[in-house]
Amino acid sequence: MLVVASAVAACSGGVDGPVPGRPRPANGPPAAGAPSVGDPYTPGDGNGGYDVQHYDLKLRIDPRDKAKTLDGVAELTAQATQALSRFDLDLSGLDVADVRVDGATARHRRKGEELIISPAKPLRRGARFTVTVRYSGTPKTINDPILQRYGWVPTRDGVFIACQPSGAHTWFPANDHPSDKATFDFHITVPAGLTVIANGEPADGAGAGTPSPRFARAASRADTTTTWRVKEPMATYLATVDVGRFDVRTGKTPGGIPIISAVDPTVPSARIDQFNAKNAEITDAWVKLFGPYPFSSTGGIVDNADVAFALETQNRPLYGAFGSEETIMAHELAHQWFGDSVSLTTWKDIWLNEGFATYAEWIWAERSRGQTVQQQFDARYRQPDNRELWDVPPANPGRGQLFGRSVYDRGAMTLHALRQKVGDRAFFDILRTWAGEHRHGNATTAQFISLAERVSGKQLDRFFRVWLYARGRPSL
C-alpha cells in the first residue's frame, strides 16, 4: 500500500514457519479450531485448525441495489491441520442463508465477525474438505482513523475493493490473514453496461489480444458473467473485484509478460494507453532487477474511487481517483515480488513489504532523473528530530504505526544502508535470492537477516538490530 496526498506519493501457498498464536496441529480427539491466528496487529483475524487451498466465489454484484448489493456463494476447499469438531470463518455483517460441509448441512452461528461452523461429522486431521456458504447483503465500507476508507468502496458506477489489512471478510467468508494463501476463482455477474476487472486472468483466455472482444461486449449485453482465475497463491487482502465502466488494454509487455490494464475514463489524470505502457515498462524493468515475474499477468486498475491510497492487489494494483503517477506505480508493481509473492507471516513484519517497495520507488525516481537514491536517504537522515522515523522500530512498529513513516522510509533506508555495507552485487543478489527462495510463500524478518548474512558472507546482527529494532537514529 502507498498512502497518497493529493495526486503525489506521500510515501509509498505455504508458510515457512509457525505463526505466533496459531496452535500446532493436534493429534488428539476433535476440538474447535482457534478463532484467531493471534496476530496482535489485526486482532481476531484469521483462524486455526485448517489451511485454505482454494476459494471459488460466485457473486452477483448490483451497485444499484442499495439493500442487497451482493448475492454470493463461496466454496472454500481446505485441509484440516487438526481433528476438528468445529471451525471459524471470518465474515463481517452480511446475511448467511446456508452452510454446508462436504455437501452436508452444517450448524452455524455468528459471534462478532466470526462465522462458527459445526460440520455434521467431525473432520479428521489431514482431511481435505469443502465448505459452502450462501450469503447476501451490502458490504460495509471500513472507516479507519489511520487508513480512512477501505475495503468495499462504492463508486459512481460500481465498486472499488481494496482490502489491506482486514477488508476481505467484509465481502466473502475467509481465513482472513496473509499467513493462509490460496488460489481463487471469481465468477462475477453484473448488470448491463458494467465491466468486471479482477485478479488473475479471464478463464476463457481473454487478455491475450489487444483489445479483448470480451471487454468490448460487456457494454452491449444484459447481465454478464465473467470468470477470473488466480493461478498462484494469494493472500486474502490482495483479492479484488472492480466493477464499473473501464477502458481496457490487453496484450504482452515487450518482455513477453501478459498484461491487462483498465482505466475509468472519468479520471482526468489517467489515460489507458499511457497507463498500460508504463505498467509494461516498469514490470519489465523490475524483472531485470528482482528476477522472474512471479505471476501469470501484470497490469493495473485506475478507478474513480474516493480513497487516499494505492494498493498492490495481486497481478493488478489499484489506484483511486488521484490517478497513477509513475513512482507510485513503481512502488505497487515492486510489491508483486515483495509482499504479494513473498508475503509476510505476521503483520509486524510489514516493512518487508513497504520498505522494499519504497526502495524500489526511489530506484525508479533515480532512473527517471528525479532524486537519486542517495539523495532520498540523505534528506531523511538529515532529520534527527523526526520522531516518526527514529522512535518507531520498522520491524515491530506497533499496530498504530502499521502504515507509518518508519515502516516505509526507515525500512527503505535500512535497505540502502545494507547496500552500502555489502556492495551492489551482494545487495541485489540478496533481493533476487529472497524473491526466488520464498516465491509464493510467507517469510519473516529473521529469515531475511539470515539470508542477507548467507549471501553477503557478513555478520549483520548488530546492523539490523540498530536499523530495524532500536529507537534512535543509527550512526553512519
PDB file of all heavy atoms in Angstrom, residues 318-350:
ATOM      1  N   LEU A 318      -4.245  -1.376  -7.672  1.00  0.00           N
ATOM      2  CA  LEU A 318      -5.373  -0.454  -7.712  1.00  0.00           C
ATOM      3  C   LEU A 318      -4.929   0.973  -7.420  1.00  0.00           C
ATOM      4  O   LEU A 318      -4.122   1.202  -6.517  1.00  0.00           O
ATOM      5  CB  LEU A 318      -6.399  -0.834  -6.640  1.00  0.00           C
ATOM      6  CG  LEU A 318      -7.278  -2.058  -6.864  1.00  0.00           C
ATOM      7  CD1 LEU A 318      -8.015  -2.376  -5.569  1.00  0.00           C
ATOM      8  CD2 LEU A 318      -8.273  -1.800  -7.982  1.00  0.00           C
ATOM      9  N   TYR A 319      -5.515   1.928  -8.146  1.00  0.00           N
ATOM     10  CA  TYR A 319      -5.264   3.348  -7.933  1.00  0.00           C
ATOM     11  C   TYR A 319      -6.612   4.062  -7.934  1.00  0.00           C
ATOM     12  O   TYR A 319      -7.479   3.769  -8.759  1.00  0.00           O
ATOM     13  CB  TYR A 319      -4.367   3.919  -9.041  1.00  0.00           C
ATOM     14  CG  TYR A 319      -3.112   3.108  -9.266  1.00  0.00           C
ATOM     15  CD1 TYR A 319      -3.110   2.021 -10.146  1.00  0.00           C
ATOM     16  CD2 TYR A 319      -1.943   3.398  -8.571  1.00  0.00           C
ATOM     17  CE1 TYR A 319      -1.974   1.258 -10.332  1.00  0.00           C
ATOM     18  CE2 TYR A 319      -0.790   2.632  -8.768  1.00  0.00           C
ATOM     19  CZ  TYR A 319      -0.819   1.559  -9.640  1.00  0.00           C
ATOM     20  OH  TYR A 319       0.308   0.794  -9.825  1.00  0.00           O
ATOM     21  N   GLY A 320      -6.783   4.991  -7.000  1.00  0.00           N
ATOM     22  CA  GLY A 320      -8.035   5.711  -6.899  1.00  0.00           C
ATOM     23  C   GLY A 320      -8.094   6.914  -7.825  1.00  0.00           C
ATOM     24  O   GLY A 320      -7.323   7.038  -8.790  1.00  0.00           O
ATOM     25  N   ALA A 321      -8.999   7.859  -7.495  1.00  0.00           N
ATOM     26  CA  ALA A 321      -9.272   8.992  -8.370  1.00  0.00           C
ATOM     27  C   ALA A 321      -8.090   9.935  -8.528  1.00  0.00           C
ATOM     28  O   ALA A 321      -8.077  10.770  -9.438  1.00  0.00           O
ATOM     29  CB  ALA A 321     -10.480   9.760  -7.837  1.00  0.00           C
ATOM     30  N   PHE A 322      -7.059   9.799  -7.668  1.00  0.00           N
ATOM     31  CA  PHE A 322      -5.870  10.660  -7.791  1.00  0.00           C
ATOM     32  C   PHE A 322      -5.035  10.291  -9.011  1.00  0.00           C
ATOM     33  O   PHE A 322      -4.134  11.028  -9.408  1.00  0.00           O
ATOM     34  CB  PHE A 322      -5.003  10.552  -6.528  1.00  0.00           C
ATOM     35  CG  PHE A 322      -4.633   9.139  -6.169  1.00  0.00           C
ATOM     36  CD1 PHE A 322      -3.555   8.502  -6.761  1.00  0.00           C
ATOM     37  CD2 PHE A 322      -5.383   8.430  -5.233  1.00  0.00           C
ATOM     38  CE1 PHE A 322      -3.227   7.198  -6.442  1.00  0.00           C
ATOM     39  CE2 PHE A 322      -5.057   7.116  -4.907  1.00  0.00           C
ATOM     40  CZ  PHE A 322      -3.985   6.499  -5.508  1.00  0.00           C
ATOM     41  N   GLY A 323      -5.293   9.120  -9.630  1.00  0.00           N
ATOM     42  CA  GLY A 323      -4.574   8.740 -10.836  1.00  0.00           C
ATOM     43  C   GLY A 323      -3.397   7.834 -10.570  1.00  0.00           C
ATOM     44  O   GLY A 323      -3.350   7.129  -9.566  1.00  0.00           O
ATOM     45  N   SER A 324      -2.402   7.883 -11.471  1.00  0.00           N
ATOM     46  CA  SER A 324      -1.340   6.868 -11.436  1.00  0.00           C
ATOM     47  C   SER A 324       0.007   7.494 -11.773  1.00  0.00           C
ATOM     48  O   SER A 324       0.539   7.279 -12.858  1.00  0.00           O
ATOM     49  CB  SER A 324      -1.655   5.742 -12.427  1.00  0.00           C
ATOM     50  OG  SER A 324      -1.899   6.284 -13.716  1.00  0.00           O
ATOM     51  N   GLU A 325       0.545   8.258 -10.845  1.00  0.00           N
ATOM     52  CA  GLU A 325       1.888   8.816 -11.021  1.00  0.00           C
ATOM     53  C   GLU A 325       2.897   7.663 -11.066  1.00  0.00           C
ATOM     54  O   GLU A 325       2.760   6.673 -10.353  1.00  0.00           O
ATOM     55  CB  GLU A 325       2.174   9.779  -9.868  1.00  0.00           C
ATOM     56  CG  GLU A 325       3.332  10.726 -10.131  1.00  0.00           C
ATOM     57  CD  GLU A 325       4.667  10.121  -9.743  1.00  0.00           C
ATOM     58  OE1 GLU A 325       4.684   9.244  -8.837  1.00  0.00           O
ATOM     59  OE2 GLU A 325       5.681  10.504 -10.342  1.00  0.00           O
ATOM     60  N   GLU A 326       3.932   7.760 -11.899  1.00  0.00           N
ATOM     61  CA  GLU A 326       4.740   6.573 -12.196  1.00  0.00           C
ATOM     62  C   GLU A 326       5.566   6.059 -11.024  1.00  0.00           C
ATOM     63  O   GLU A 326       5.836   4.863 -10.949  1.00  0.00           O
ATOM     64  CB  GLU A 326       5.627   6.788 -13.421  1.00  0.00           C
ATOM     65  CG  GLU A 326       6.713   7.814 -13.296  1.00  0.00           C
ATOM     66  CD  GLU A 326       7.508   7.909 -14.602  1.00  0.00           C
ATOM     67  OE1 GLU A 326       7.120   8.701 -15.482  1.00  0.00           O
ATOM     68  OE2 GLU A 326       8.517   7.184 -14.718  1.00  0.00           O
ATOM     69  N   THR A 327       5.981   6.927 -10.079  1.00  0.00           N
ATOM     70  CA  THR A 327       6.702   6.371  -8.928  1.00  0.00           C
ATOM     71  C   THR A 327       5.767   5.574  -8.025  1.00  0.00           C
ATOM     72  O   THR A 327       6.187   4.612  -7.385  1.00  0.00           O
ATOM     73  CB  THR A 327       7.408   7.470  -8.115  1.00  0.00           C
ATOM     74  OG1 THR A 327       6.462   8.441  -7.681  1.00  0.00           O
ATOM     75  CG2 THR A 327       8.505   8.132  -8.920  1.00  0.00           C
ATOM     76  N   ILE A 328       4.483   5.972  -7.976  1.00  0.00           N
ATOM     77  CA  ILE A 328       3.502   5.167  -7.236  1.00  0.00           C
ATOM     78  C   ILE A 328       3.338   3.814  -7.916  1.00  0.00           C
ATOM     79  O   ILE A 328       3.300   2.766  -7.268  1.00  0.00           O
ATOM     80  CB  ILE A 328       2.148   5.898  -7.142  1.00  0.00           C
ATOM     81  CG1 ILE A 328       2.295   7.257  -6.458  1.00  0.00           C
ATOM     82  CG2 ILE A 328       1.138   5.042  -6.383  1.00  0.00           C
ATOM     83  CD1 ILE A 328       1.005   8.061  -6.411  1.00  0.00           C
ATOM     84  N   MET A 329       3.279   3.823  -9.247  1.00  0.00           N
ATOM     85  CA  MET A 329       3.170   2.562  -9.986  1.00  0.00           C
ATOM     86  C   MET A 329       4.400   1.686  -9.745  1.00  0.00           C
ATOM     87  O   MET A 329       4.283   0.463  -9.582  1.00  0.00           O
ATOM     88  CB  MET A 329       3.001   2.849 -11.471  1.00  0.00           C
ATOM     89  CG  MET A 329       1.705   3.566 -11.828  1.00  0.00           C
ATOM     90  SD  MET A 329       1.640   4.079 -13.564  1.00  0.00           S
ATOM     91  CE  MET A 329       1.632   2.483 -14.393  1.00  0.00           C
ATOM     92  N   ALA A 330       5.581   2.301  -9.723  1.00  0.00           N
ATOM     93  CA  ALA A 330       6.804   1.540  -9.450  1.00  0.00           C
ATOM     94  C   ALA A 330       6.732   0.877  -8.079  1.00  0.00           C
ATOM     95  O   ALA A 330       7.172  -0.268  -7.903  1.00  0.00           O
ATOM     96  CB  ALA A 330       8.022   2.455  -9.547  1.00  0.00           C
ATOM     97  N   HIS A 331       6.207   1.597  -7.105  1.00  0.00           N
ATOM     98  CA  HIS A 331       6.045   1.062  -5.747  1.00  0.00           C
ATOM     99  C   HIS A 331       5.115  -0.153  -5.757  1.00  0.00           C
ATOM    100  O   HIS A 331       5.473  -1.227  -5.257  1.00  0.00           O
ATOM    101  CB  HIS A 331       5.465   2.180  -4.866  1.00  0.00           C
ATOM    102  CG  HIS A 331       5.237   1.810  -3.435  1.00  0.00           C
ATOM    103  ND1 HIS A 331       5.974   2.344  -2.400  1.00  0.00           N
ATOM    104  CD2 HIS A 331       4.330   0.981  -2.846  1.00  0.00           C
ATOM    105  CE1 HIS A 331       5.551   1.860  -1.255  1.00  0.00           C
ATOM    106  NE2 HIS A 331       4.538   1.032  -1.503  1.00  0.00           N
ATOM    107  N   GLU A 332       3.920   0.013  -6.342  1.00  0.00           N
ATOM    108  CA  GLU A 332       2.930  -1.068  -6.286  1.00  0.00           C
ATOM    109  C   GLU A 332       3.355  -2.279  -7.115  1.00  0.00           C
ATOM    110  O   GLU A 332       3.102  -3.430  -6.729  1.00  0.00           O
ATOM    111  CB  GLU A 332       1.566  -0.558  -6.750  1.00  0.00           C
ATOM    112  CG  GLU A 332       1.030   0.643  -5.987  1.00  0.00           C
ATOM    113  CD  GLU A 332       0.982   0.459  -4.480  1.00  0.00           C
ATOM    114  OE1 GLU A 332       0.952  -0.685  -3.999  1.00  0.00           O
ATOM    115  OE2 GLU A 332       0.980   1.484  -3.760  1.00  0.00           O
ATOM    116  N   LEU A 333       4.008  -2.046  -8.240  1.00  0.00           N
ATOM    117  CA  LEU A 333       4.453  -3.182  -9.052  1.00  0.00           C
ATOM    118  C   LEU A 333       5.627  -3.913  -8.396  1.00  0.00           C
ATOM    119  O   LEU A 333       5.760  -5.137  -8.538  1.00  0.00           O
ATOM    120  CB  LEU A 333       4.802  -2.718 -10.465  1.00  0.00           C
ATOM    121  CG  LEU A 333       3.579  -2.352 -11.315  1.00  0.00           C
ATOM    122  CD1 LEU A 333       3.999  -1.596 -12.571  1.00  0.00           C
ATOM    123  CD2 LEU A 333       2.775  -3.610 -11.686  1.00  0.00           C
ATOM    124  N   ALA A 334       6.475  -3.214  -7.657  1.00  0.00           N
ATOM    125  CA  ALA A 334       7.535  -3.893  -6.907  1.00  0.00           C
ATOM    126  C   ALA A 334       6.948  -4.818  -5.852  1.00  0.00           C
ATOM    127  O   ALA A 334       7.535  -5.859  -5.516  1.00  0.00           O
ATOM    128  CB  ALA A 334       8.463  -2.867  -6.254  1.00  0.00           C
ATOM    129  N   HIS A 335       5.791  -4.447  -5.332  1.00  0.00           N
ATOM    130  CA  HIS A 335       5.117  -5.315  -4.353  1.00  0.00           C
ATOM    131  C   HIS A 335       4.781  -6.690  -4.930  1.00  0.00           C
ATOM    132  O   HIS A 335       4.564  -7.639  -4.163  1.00  0.00           O
ATOM    133  CB  HIS A 335       3.814  -4.668  -3.897  1.00  0.00           C
ATOM    134  CG  HIS A 335       3.940  -3.764  -2.710  1.00  0.00           C
ATOM    135  ND1 HIS A 335       4.528  -4.159  -1.525  1.00  0.00           N
ATOM    136  CD2 HIS A 335       3.500  -2.492  -2.509  1.00  0.00           C
ATOM    137  CE1 HIS A 335       4.445  -3.156  -0.655  1.00  0.00           C
ATOM    138  NE2 HIS A 335       3.852  -2.138  -1.228  1.00  0.00           N
ATOM    139  N   GLN A 336       4.685  -6.819  -6.229  1.00  0.00           N
ATOM    140  CA  GLN A 336       4.354  -8.139  -6.786  1.00  0.00           C
ATOM    141  C   GLN A 336       5.412  -9.164  -6.375  1.00  0.00           C
ATOM    142  O   GLN A 336       5.099 -10.330  -6.152  1.00  0.00           O
ATOM    143  CB  GLN A 336       4.211  -8.057  -8.307  1.00  0.00           C
ATOM    144  CG  GLN A 336       3.182  -7.035  -8.784  1.00  0.00           C
ATOM    145  CD  GLN A 336       1.814  -7.233  -8.149  1.00  0.00           C
ATOM    146  OE1 GLN A 336       1.195  -8.283  -8.281  1.00  0.00           O
ATOM    147  NE2 GLN A 336       1.326  -6.198  -7.460  1.00  0.00           N
ATOM    148  N   TRP A 337       6.657  -8.722  -6.248  1.00  0.00           N
ATOM    149  CA  TRP A 337       7.719  -9.570  -5.717  1.00  0.00           C
ATOM    150  C   TRP A 337       7.714  -9.531  -4.182  1.00  0.00           C
ATOM    151  O   TRP A 337       7.753 -10.580  -3.549  1.00  0.00           O
ATOM    152  CB  TRP A 337       9.082  -9.089  -6.219  1.00  0.00           C
ATOM    153  CG  TRP A 337       9.410  -9.383  -7.636  1.00  0.00           C
ATOM    154  CD1 TRP A 337      10.205 -10.412  -8.102  1.00  0.00           C
ATOM    155  CD2 TRP A 337       8.997  -8.655  -8.809  1.00  0.00           C
ATOM    156  NE1 TRP A 337      10.305 -10.364  -9.461  1.00  0.00           N
ATOM    157  CE2 TRP A 337       9.575  -9.292  -9.933  1.00  0.00           C
ATOM    158  CE3 TRP A 337       8.201  -7.528  -9.009  1.00  0.00           C
ATOM    159  CZ2 TRP A 337       9.376  -8.851 -11.233  1.00  0.00           C
ATOM    160  CZ3 TRP A 337       7.993  -7.075 -10.308  1.00  0.00           C
ATOM    161  CH2 TRP A 337       8.566  -7.729 -11.388  1.00  0.00           C
ATOM    162  N   PHE A 338       7.641  -8.326  -3.633  1.00  0.00           N
ATOM    163  CA  PHE A 338       7.871  -8.112  -2.200  1.00  0.00           C
ATOM    164  C   PHE A 338       6.562  -7.726  -1.508  1.00  0.00           C
ATOM    165  O   PHE A 338       6.187  -6.561  -1.459  1.00  0.00           O
ATOM    166  CB  PHE A 338       8.934  -7.027  -2.000  1.00  0.00           C
ATOM    167  CG  PHE A 338      10.196  -7.286  -2.778  1.00  0.00           C
ATOM    168  CD1 PHE A 338      10.571  -6.450  -3.827  1.00  0.00           C
ATOM    169  CD2 PHE A 338      10.998  -8.372  -2.489  1.00  0.00           C
ATOM    170  CE1 PHE A 338      11.725  -6.694  -4.553  1.00  0.00           C
ATOM    171  CE2 PHE A 338      12.163  -8.627  -3.214  1.00  0.00           C
ATOM    172  CZ  PHE A 338      12.525  -7.788  -4.251  1.00  0.00           C
ATOM    173  N   GLY A 339       5.853  -8.731  -1.041  1.00  0.00           N
ATOM    174  CA  GLY A 339       4.565  -8.521  -0.391  1.00  0.00           C
ATOM    175  C   GLY A 339       3.501  -9.438  -0.945  1.00  0.00           C
ATOM    176  O   GLY A 339       2.726 -10.026  -0.197  1.00  0.00           O
ATOM    177  N   ASP A 340       3.455  -9.576  -2.288  1.00  0.00           N
ATOM    178  CA  ASP A 340       2.447 -10.429  -2.901  1.00  0.00           C
ATOM    179  C   ASP A 340       2.958 -11.859  -3.083  1.00  0.00           C
ATOM    180  O   ASP A 340       2.340 -12.809  -2.615  1.00  0.00           O
ATOM    181  CB  ASP A 340       2.015  -9.850  -4.246  1.00  0.00           C
ATOM    182  CG  ASP A 340       1.246  -8.553  -4.099  1.00  0.00           C
ATOM    183  OD1 ASP A 340       1.287  -7.952  -3.008  1.00  0.00           O
ATOM    184  OD2 ASP A 340       0.610  -8.118  -5.083  1.00  0.00           O
ATOM    185  N   SER A 341       4.095 -12.011  -3.776  1.00  0.00           N
ATOM    186  CA  SER A 341       4.686 -13.351  -3.907  1.00  0.00           C
ATOM    187  C   SER A 341       5.345 -13.770  -2.596  1.00  0.00           C
ATOM    188  O   SER A 341       5.008 -14.801  -2.022  1.00  0.00           O
ATOM    189  CB  SER A 341       5.694 -13.374  -5.051  1.00  0.00           C
ATOM    190  OG  SER A 341       6.324 -14.639  -5.138  1.00  0.00           O
ATOM    191  N   VAL A 342       6.293 -12.965  -2.113  1.00  0.00           N
ATOM    192  CA  VAL A 342       6.868 -13.205  -0.782  1.00  0.00           C
ATOM    193  C   VAL A 342       6.031 -12.408   0.208  1.00  0.00           C
ATOM    194  O   VAL A 342       6.141 -11.182   0.280  1.00  0.00           O
ATOM    195  CB  VAL A 342       8.340 -12.765  -0.705  1.00  0.00           C
ATOM    196  CG1 VAL A 342       8.925 -13.122   0.662  1.00  0.00           C
ATOM    197  CG2 VAL A 342       9.152 -13.408  -1.818  1.00  0.00           C
ATOM    198  N   SER A 343       5.173 -13.086   0.940  1.00  0.00           N
ATOM    199  CA  SER A 343       4.221 -12.417   1.829  1.00  0.00           C
ATOM    200  C   SER A 343       4.695 -12.490   3.269  1.00  0.00           C
ATOM    201  O   SER A 343       5.386 -13.431   3.665  1.00  0.00           O
ATOM    202  CB  SER A 343       2.839 -13.070   1.715  1.00  0.00           C
ATOM    203  OG  SER A 343       2.343 -12.960   0.396  1.00  0.00           O
ATOM    204  N   LEU A 344       4.278 -11.504   4.050  1.00  0.00           N
ATOM    205  CA  LEU A 344       4.631 -11.536   5.470  1.00  0.00           C
ATOM    206  C   LEU A 344       3.901 -12.672   6.182  1.00  0.00           C
ATOM    207  O   LEU A 344       2.856 -13.149   5.730  1.00  0.00           O
ATOM    208  CB  LEU A 344       4.332 -10.192   6.132  1.00  0.00           C
ATOM    209  CG  LEU A 344       2.985  -9.502   5.886  1.00  0.00           C
ATOM    210  CD1 LEU A 344       1.877 -10.121   6.708  1.00  0.00           C
ATOM    211  CD2 LEU A 344       3.110  -8.029   6.174  1.00  0.00           C
ATOM    212  N   THR A 345       4.467 -13.107   7.286  1.00  0.00           N
ATOM    213  CA  THR A 345       3.858 -14.160   8.095  1.00  0.00           C
ATOM    214  C   THR A 345       3.001 -13.568   9.199  1.00  0.00           C
ATOM    215  O   THR A 345       1.950 -14.095   9.534  1.00  0.00           O
ATOM    216  CB  THR A 345       4.959 -15.064   8.699  1.00  0.00           C
ATOM    217  OG1 THR A 345       5.741 -15.606   7.624  1.00  0.00           O
ATOM    218  CG2 THR A 345       4.358 -16.205   9.499  1.00  0.00           C
ATOM    219  N   THR A 346       3.459 -12.454   9.773  1.00  0.00           N
ATOM    220  CA  THR A 346       2.659 -11.679  10.715  1.00  0.00           C
ATOM    221  C   THR A 346       2.804 -10.203  10.343  1.00  0.00           C
ATOM    222  O   THR A 346       3.808  -9.784   9.765  1.00  0.00           O
ATOM    223  CB  THR A 346       3.102 -11.893  12.169  1.00  0.00           C
ATOM    224  OG1 THR A 346       4.483 -11.560  12.305  1.00  0.00           O
ATOM    225  CG2 THR A 346       2.894 -13.340  12.602  1.00  0.00           C
ATOM    226  N   TRP A 347       1.810  -9.391  10.734  1.00  0.00           N
ATOM    227  CA  TRP A 347       1.766  -8.008  10.273  1.00  0.00           C
ATOM    228  C   TRP A 347       2.883  -7.138  10.841  1.00  0.00           C
ATOM    229  O   TRP A 347       3.200  -6.089  10.273  1.00  0.00           O
ATOM    230  CB  TRP A 347       0.407  -7.387  10.582  1.00  0.00           C
ATOM    231  CG  TRP A 347      -0.654  -7.813   9.627  1.00  0.00           C
ATOM    232  CD1 TRP A 347      -1.675  -8.696   9.856  1.00  0.00           C
ATOM    233  CD2 TRP A 347      -0.813  -7.384   8.270  1.00  0.00           C
ATOM    234  NE1 TRP A 347      -2.455  -8.845   8.743  1.00  0.00           N
ATOM    235  CE2 TRP A 347      -1.954  -8.047   7.744  1.00  0.00           C
ATOM    236  CE3 TRP A 347      -0.106  -6.508   7.447  1.00  0.00           C
ATOM    237  CZ2 TRP A 347      -2.397  -7.852   6.431  1.00  0.00           C
ATOM    238  CZ3 TRP A 347      -0.544  -6.311   6.146  1.00  0.00           C
ATOM    239  CH2 TRP A 347      -1.679  -6.987   5.650  1.00  0.00           C
ATOM    240  N   LYS A 348       3.522  -7.544  11.921  1.00  0.00           N
ATOM    241  CA  LYS A 348       4.617  -6.726  12.454  1.00  0.00           C
ATOM    242  C   LYS A 348       5.779  -6.636  11.478  1.00  0.00           C
ATOM    243  O   LYS A 348       6.597  -5.705  11.557  1.00  0.00           O
ATOM    244  CB  LYS A 348       5.103  -7.273  13.805  1.00  0.00           C
ATOM    245  CG  LYS A 348       5.844  -8.588  13.769  1.00  0.00           C
ATOM    246  CD  LYS A 348       6.275  -9.009  15.155  1.00  0.00           C
ATOM    247  CE  LYS A 348       6.980 -10.361  15.154  1.00  0.00           C
ATOM    248  NZ  LYS A 348       8.235 -10.340  14.389  1.00  0.00           N
ATOM    249  N   ASP A 349       5.874  -7.581  10.544  1.00  0.00           N
ATOM    250  CA  ASP A 349       6.946  -7.577   9.546  1.00  0.00           C
ATOM    251  C   ASP A 349       6.567  -6.809   8.278  1.00  0.00           C
ATOM    252  O   ASP A 349       7.149  -7.031   7.214  1.00  0.00           O
ATOM    253  CB  ASP A 349       7.318  -9.016   9.187  1.00  0.00           C
ATOM    254  CG  ASP A 349       8.135  -9.702  10.271  1.00  0.00           C
ATOM    255  OD1 ASP A 349       8.914  -9.008  10.942  1.00  0.00           O
ATOM    256  OD2 ASP A 349       7.987 -10.920  10.448  1.00  0.00           O
ATOM    257  N   ILE A 350       5.625  -5.872   8.385  1.00  0.00           N
ATOM    258  CA  ILE A 350       5.135  -5.141   7.222  1.00  0.00           C
ATOM    259  C   ILE A 350       6.243  -4.387   6.482  1.00  0.00           C
ATOM    260  O   ILE A 350       6.133  -4.112   5.283  1.00  0.00           O
ATOM    261  CB  ILE A 350       4.000  -4.180   7.656  1.00  0.00           C
ATOM    262  CG1 ILE A 350       3.362  -3.470   6.451  1.00  0.00           C
ATOM    263  CG2 ILE A 350       4.505  -3.170   8.678  1.00  0.00           C
ATOM    264  CD1 ILE A 350       2.642  -4.406   5.513  1.00  0.00           C
TER     265      ILE A 350
END
